Amino acid sequence: MSRVELNMYLTFVLKVNLHSSGNSESYQQRLSRLEGDKESLVLQVSVLTDQVEAQGAKISDLQSSLVEHQHKLESTEEMLQQELLHRTSLENQKLSLMGEVSYLKIKLADMEGKQSHGAERQHKAEGLIKELKILKDKVEHLEDQKIQYEKKLKATKVKDECTINMNIPFSQWTKGQVCGWLEDYGLGQYLNLTRQWVENGQTLLSATPQDFEKEMGMKNPLHRKKLQLALNAFTTKVIEKSSELDHIWVTRWLDDIGLPQYKDQFHEARVDGRMIQYLTVNDLLTLKVTSQLHHLSIKCAIHVLHANKFNPNCLRRRPGEERQPSPSEVVQWSNHRVMEWLRAVDLAEYAPNLRGSGVHGGLIILEPRFSSETLALLLNIPPQKTLLRRHLATAFSALVGTQATQEKREYGNATGHVPLTTTAKVKPKKLGFTQFSHLRKRKPDESADYICPIDSGTLTVNGISRLPSAALRGLSPNLDRQPERREPLGIRARANSPKQ
């Protein structure tokens, strides 16, 4: 009901009430009562209007909610349709997979029938792999032997030629014989100038190092030394076992002792087995070997060759059947064999760090300053890994033996001891005037210049051929100051050994 209609209704009611009222009531009283009724009715109308508006708002919300539910219902119906399609697809896949499973079961049954034959084949394959590995090792060994035989054949050929010519003094050799010998000896690059200068063997015998440099163009001092040593052998007619080892063998020897980085320098200098005996500190510096540790490595390796009479196969490259090798066996270990030992004592991750380090069995056993701490430095084991270093020290002590461990401990505790480091360098020795004299005219006491003196006594300690005190000096500062400290261990130089 609108407000206009309400007013009209109230007016009508007032008129009716005016006519119906008796004379007992006055006009003013009736008017007052009607005004009160009017206000009451207006209040009721206002309340009813608010309720109508509230109901209208609820109706509007219900309509929007209904629309929203209709949308959800449509969406749900679409999802239901997709789910039905997906379920149908899965049913088809299930049927397909069941078919494949049936096929695989049939195939599995067939494979189980062949499994016994497969196991036999696998066993045979493993056996063949082992045999193949053995054959591979044998082939490598045969190849090494072949190379050695070829070298021996070549050396024998040279030796035979020398033997044939031994009846003829070298001084009477013809120019052609001298040039052929130089080419076989690895100095063929000097043939052109040699043919122009040499008349016979006497030309070389009477020549000085300055003549070799001037007339033959021999600038490399180690080439001159190589030639001088060979001429000295002809003069003295002494055949040394080391002369059978050519410069190709020396490059493989550098691999074995863990110093392959110097192969190019040694090959270029044509350093052979005979030259190894007469290498000096300055010779090694000429070959760009400046590390003190590498000098010691070469020194100990040369001593191992001396102790084994320059047997070309004296170094052990692969593990043998020994469970606990003795120090006398360890002293002949190559660098690769030492890395195999590290793998055996659960330090495989550090083993590759020994490549190019110069660490071999001879260095480990013969050098008193080489300790487990030195090895830990070379392996790059951090100082904070104390348990790992302690494990290495225990394994190292078991490897070198009781006496060598005691000797190394005494050197480490000696007054003025200088630890062996990986960065120490060797300084060249000052040469006197006598150093420029002809090699064949060297005085006996000048042999002390050699990195490993030839005349040093070979003594045995703990079943191991060891260097005497004099042979270990020069690169170990504490050895120069306290050589007599090693005597209680039974290591003494022979009375005629050279002094350094």
Side-chain angles (χ1 to χ4, degrees):
M1 182 182 295
S2 64
R3 292 182 180 273
V4 175
E5 292 175 350
L6 182 61
N7 290 330
M8 291 175 65
Y9 172 74
L10 293 175
T11 304
F12 176 75
V13 170
L14 290 174
K15 287 180 178 181
V16 172
N17 289 333
L18 287 175
H19 289 287
S20 62
S21 60
N23 295 324
S24 59
E25 291 181 342
S26 65
Y27 176 78
Q28 187 66 33
Q29 290 176 345
R30 288 196 299 271
L31 182 62
S32 297
R33 188 175 63 252
L34 289 173
E35 286 292 337
D37 293 339
K38 179 181 178 181
E39 291 178 358
S40 176
L41 290 173
V42 169
L43 180 61
Q44 290 179 8
V45 169
S46 177
V47 171
L48 290 173
T49 301
D50 292 339
Q51 290 180 353
V52 169
E53 291 178 355
Q55 291 297 325
K58 287 182 179 179
I59 292 172
S60 176
D61 291 340
L62 287 173
Q63 289 177 347
S64 61
S65 177
L66 180 62
V67 172
E68 182 180 357
H69 282 292
Q70 286 178 348
H71 287 304
K72 288 183 179 180
L73 181 60
E74 293 175 357
S75 176
T76 304
E77 289 178 351
E78 291 179 1
M79 291 177 63
L80 181 60
Q81 291 294 331
Q82 293 178 358
E83 185 67 24
L84 290 173
L85 292 174
H86 183 63
R87 179 176 293 183
T88 303
S89 176
L90 288 177
E91 290 290 338
N92 294 333
Q93 290 181 10
K94 179 181 177 181
L95 293 175
S96 176
L97 289 174
M98 289 177 66
E100 291 183 6
V101 168
S102 300
Y103 171 75
L104 290 175
K105 284 182 178 179
I106 297 173
K107 191 172 182 180
L108 179 62
D110 185 46
M111 292 294 293
E112 287 176 352
K114 298 179 180 179
Q115 186 175 5
S116 57
H117 300 289
E120 293 179 1
R121 291 180 181 178
Q122 183 178 2
H123 182 69
K124 290 181 180 179
E126 291 176 355
L128 289 174
I129 291 173
K130 291 180 180 179
E131 291 180 5
L132 181 62
K133 185 176 181 181
I134 294 172
L135 289 174
K136 184 178 179 181
D137 292 337
K138 288 183 179 179
V139 168
E140 291 179 356
H141 180 66
L142 289 174
E143 287 180 353
D144 291 339
Q145 285 187 339
K146 178 185 175 183
I147 295 173
Q148 293 298 327
Y149 286 144
E150 289 177 351
K151 290 181 179 179
K152 287 182 180 179
L153 182 62
K154 184 178 179 180
T156 304
K157 180 181 176 183
V158 174
K159 189 184 294 184
D160 291 341
E161 292 177 356
C162 293
T163 303
I164 294 172
N165 294 323
M166 275 297 179
N167 298 325
I168 305 173
F170 185 80
S171 59
Q172 297 179 13
W173 282 20
T174 64
K175 178 185 297 188
Q177 289 174 320
V178 171
C179 291
W181 170 74
L182 279 176
E183 186 172 8
D184 291 337
Y185 201 50
L187 298 175
Q189 65 265 44
Y190 302 109
L191 288 182
N192 292 334
L193 293 177
T194 301
R195 290 192 182 97
Q196 300 175 14
W197 173 55
V198 171
E199 295 295 333
N200 49 41
Q202 183 60 39
T203 307
L204 292 181
L205 289 175
S206 59
T208 64
Q210 290 78 8
D211 293 331
F212 296 149
E213 183 176 2
K214 178 181 177 182
E215 302 296 340
M216 298 175 64
M218 196 174 287
K219 305 295 183 182
N220 193 319
L222 293 173
H223 288 177
R224 298 196 294 269
K225 184 171 187 173
K226 180 182 177 76
L227 180 57
Q228 287 174 318
L229 289 171
L231 294 174
N232 185 50
F234 278 117
T235 303
T236 59
K237 296 183 180 181
V238 175
I239 299 177
E240 297 175 305
K241 185 70 174 176
S242 61
S243 63
E244 299 177 4
L245 308 177
D246 61 7
H247 64 280
I248 302 297
W249 177 88
V250 170
T251 56
R252 289 205 308 275
W253 174 72
L254 289 172
D255 272 325
D256 287 336
I257 66 175
L259 296 174
Q261 62 267 39
Y262 302 114
K263 289 168 65 174
D264 291 341
Q265 293 91 309
F266 274 70
H267 184 271
E268 183 181 352
R270 295 296 191 272
V271 177
D272 55 19
R274 181 189 284 126
M275 289 181 69
I276 286 177
Q277 298 183 81
Y278 301 95
L279 283 177
T280 66
V281 172
N282 285 342
D283 287 339
L284 290 182
L285 294 175
T286 301
L287 292 166
K288 299 181 181 179
V289 184
T290 59
S291 169
Q292 184 187 86
L293 181 63
H294 294 172
H295 275 241
L296 289 172
S297 173
I298 293 174
K299 171 184 281 190
C300 295
I302 293 173
H303 181 74
V304 172
L305 289 176
H306 277 299
N308 289 275
K309 298 180 180 179
F310 281 84
N311 178 2
N313 299 312
C314 63
L315 294 182
R316 300 186 181 183
R317 299 179 178 89
R318 293 181 177 86
E321 297 180 355
E322 71 278 1
R323 292 185 178 180
Q324 184 60 43
S326 63
S328 59
E329 294 172 325
V330 175
V331 78
Q332 293 181 320
W333 281 8
S334 67
N335 177 259
H336 179 76
R337 180 65 184 89
V338 175
M339 288 194 286
E340 290 294 332
W341 167 76
L342 286 171
R343 295 185 179 98
V345 295
D346 300 325
L347 292 171
E349 60 181 305
Y350 297 100
N353 293 334
L354 282 192
R355 292 192 180 97
S357 65
V359 175
H360 54 88
L363 178 67
I364 291 174
I365 299 295
L366 299 177
E367 173 52 45
R369 289 202 298 159
F370 191 93
S371 63
S372 61
E373 290 297 323
T374 312
L375 185 57
L377 286 175
L378 292 170
L379 293 175
N380 291 329
I381 299 179
Q384 60 268 23
K385 293 191 176 182
T386 54
L387 291 178
L388 199 59
R389 287 200 169 207
R390 191 180 305 166
H391 168 68
L392 175 62
T394 302
F396 185 85
S397 298
L399 182 70
V400 302
T402 306
Q403 292 189 0
T405 301
Q406 179 64 24
E407 181 184 359
K408 293 175 186 292
R409 187 178 295 113
E410 289 183 5
Y411 270 97
N413 296 332
T415 304
H417 168 71
V418 179
L420 187 59
T421 65
T422 59
T423 57
K425 302 295 182 182
V426 176
K427 295 181 180 179
K429 290 186 176 182
K430 295 181 179 180
L431 298 177
F433 290 104
T434 57
Q435 300 290 339
F436 297 98
S437 60
H438 198 280
L439 183 66
R440 298 187 304 276
K441 298 178 182 179
R442 293 178 69 97
K443 297 178 181 179
D445 60 352
E446 290 178 347
S447 63
D449 293 334
Y450 299 143
I451 190 72
C452 183
I454 301 172
D455 295 331
S456 59
T458 302
L459 302 172
T460 302
V461 176
N462 195 23
I464 310 165
S465 177
R466 302 298 301 271
L467 289 171
S469 300
L472 282 176
R473 296 184 212 158
L475 294 179
S476 300
N478 57 316
L479 297 183
D480 291 332
R481 291 191 292 271
Q482 298 178 351
E484 67 279 2
R485 188 168 56 79
R486 298 185 63 184
E487 293 183 359
L489 295 176
I491 304 178
R492 296 182 178 86
R494 292 189 308 180
N496 61 347
S497 64
K499 298 180 180 179
Q500 287 190 344

